Amino acid sequence: MLSKDFTIRTLKSFAVTVDGKKLTDKYLAKADGNSDEGYNKNYAVYKIPALFKGSHDLKFKSDIAETHDYNINITTSTSEYYSFIDPEVKKSVKKEMENKSKEIINTMYQSAIEDKNFSELKLEYKINEDAKDEIEDEYEDLMENVDKTSYSWDISVKKLNIKEFKISNESSYVNMGNIQVSHSFEMEYEGEFLKKKNDKDEKETDTGKTYGRVQYEYIDGEWQITDINPGSIYKSWY
């Protein structure tokens, strides 16, 4: 006996196989059932016209997420449905992204200290177009911060070295059909500071800690940065 119109819904970034056979674009439904195109464009809905009743092995594979296996037992003749839209990011990918977060924050600080324009900023991942204005604002705030780290004194950062960078909280979830990863971090640093007072420059090395966040979204086959809070540096002088 055959079951008609067996439907599978998943993220577009996943390849799907049924009993070892990869589903090609010919099985894609014209549209997700959701009426909001902005919502459904990142999902794939496959419709298999006819499938034998009984047990079938489904496999969902992605470059960035753990493989998902599911065995489904089809018992009815119409409208069987399976949805997989809550993947887990691979551990190897998570580790790589943790390292990238450190590199991104370090690049932002070094570029700000060197007084580079935002257009000169070369981060390890592409900045999402919709997030560019807000991230540019964050970078300009950081440039002001490293140029004046104290409310009371004219103190600037001349050099900065990250002593320890730790992800204090990591979360991943699906946003409008795209996998999103967020890193909250703690950063311990050692800096060389310059204080200007009465036409006299004084240098001092000091340590400190700051907190921030980096957020990514997997869009069109690549990770893009959608939000950055780089933290800030504060230096007092007595």
Side-chain angles (χ1 to χ4, degrees), residues 16-205:
V16 184
T17 61
V18 177
D19 297 330
K21 180 181 178 181
K22 183 179 179 180
L23 297 184
T24 61
D25 290 351
K26 75 175 184 178
Y27 292 103
L28 281 173
K30 289 186 177 180
D32 189 338
N34 194 296
S35 60
D36 182 356
E37 290 185 2
Y39 176 84
N40 67 45
K41 69 179 183 179
N42 298 314
Y43 291 87
V45 177
Y46 296 95
K47 187 166 288 188
I48 303 174
L51 197 64
F52 285 106
K53 290 183 181 180
S55 178
H56 296 277
D57 293 321
L58 310 182
K59 186 183 290 287
F60 301 79
K61 295 188 70 174
S62 165
D63 291 337
I64 63 167
E66 299 290 354
T67 297
H68 175 70
D69 293 295
Y70 188 79
N71 180 268
I72 189 168
N73 188 34
I74 297 177
T75 58
T76 61
S77 58
T78 58
S79 301
E80 286 277 3
Y81 180 89
Y82 183 75
S83 177
F84 173 64
I85 55 172
D86 189 23
E88 181 181 351
V89 177
K90 290 179 178 178
K91 292 180 181 179
S92 59
V93 173
K94 287 182 179 180
K95 183 62 179 176
E96 178 185 354
M97 295 184 71
E98 287 177 9
N99 294 333
K100 292 294 185 184
S101 287
K102 179 181 178 179
E103 293 173 14
I104 286 166
I105 295 302
N106 183 59
T107 298
M108 286 192 74
Y109 273 95
Q110 301 306 328
S111 298
I113 291 169
E114 294 169 13
D115 201 31
K116 290 184 177 180
N117 294 325
F118 181 75
S119 60
E120 300 176 273
L121 193 61
K122 304 297 182 184
L123 298 181
E124 282 66 18
Y125 286 135
K126 174 184 176 180
I127 296 175
N128 179 264
E129 285 296 325
D130 292 336
K132 189 167 286 185
D133 288 345
E134 289 187 12
I135 293 176
E136 183 173 3
D137 289 343
E138 289 284 353
Y139 181 67
E140 290 177 352
D141 288 345
L142 183 63
M143 291 182 72
E144 292 180 9
N145 171 232
V146 298
D147 190 53
K148 186 175 175 60
T149 64
S150 170
Y151 300 114
S152 305
W153 302 99
D154 188 3
I155 303 172
S156 59
V157 184
K158 307 313 291 182
K159 293 181 181 179
L160 192 77
N161 177 49
I162 297 177
K163 297 182 66 180
E164 183 177 2
F165 189 92
K166 182 173 67 175
I167 303 299
S168 55
N169 183 61
E170 178 186 68
S171 61
S172 60
Y173 45 93
V174 175
N175 177 44
M176 302 291 282
N178 290 325
I179 298 176
Q180 197 169 82
V181 172
S182 180
H183 287 160
S184 297
F185 67 84
E186 300 177 10
M187 184 179 82
E188 293 185 20
Y189 60 84
E190 181 178 73
E192 181 181 300
F193 298 87
L194 180 68
K195 176 186 175 184
K196 295 183 178 181
K197 184 179 181 183
N198 299 327
D199 297 325
K200 182 181 179 182
D201 292 350
E202 298 179 39
K203 291 183 179 181
E204 184 173 299
T205 299

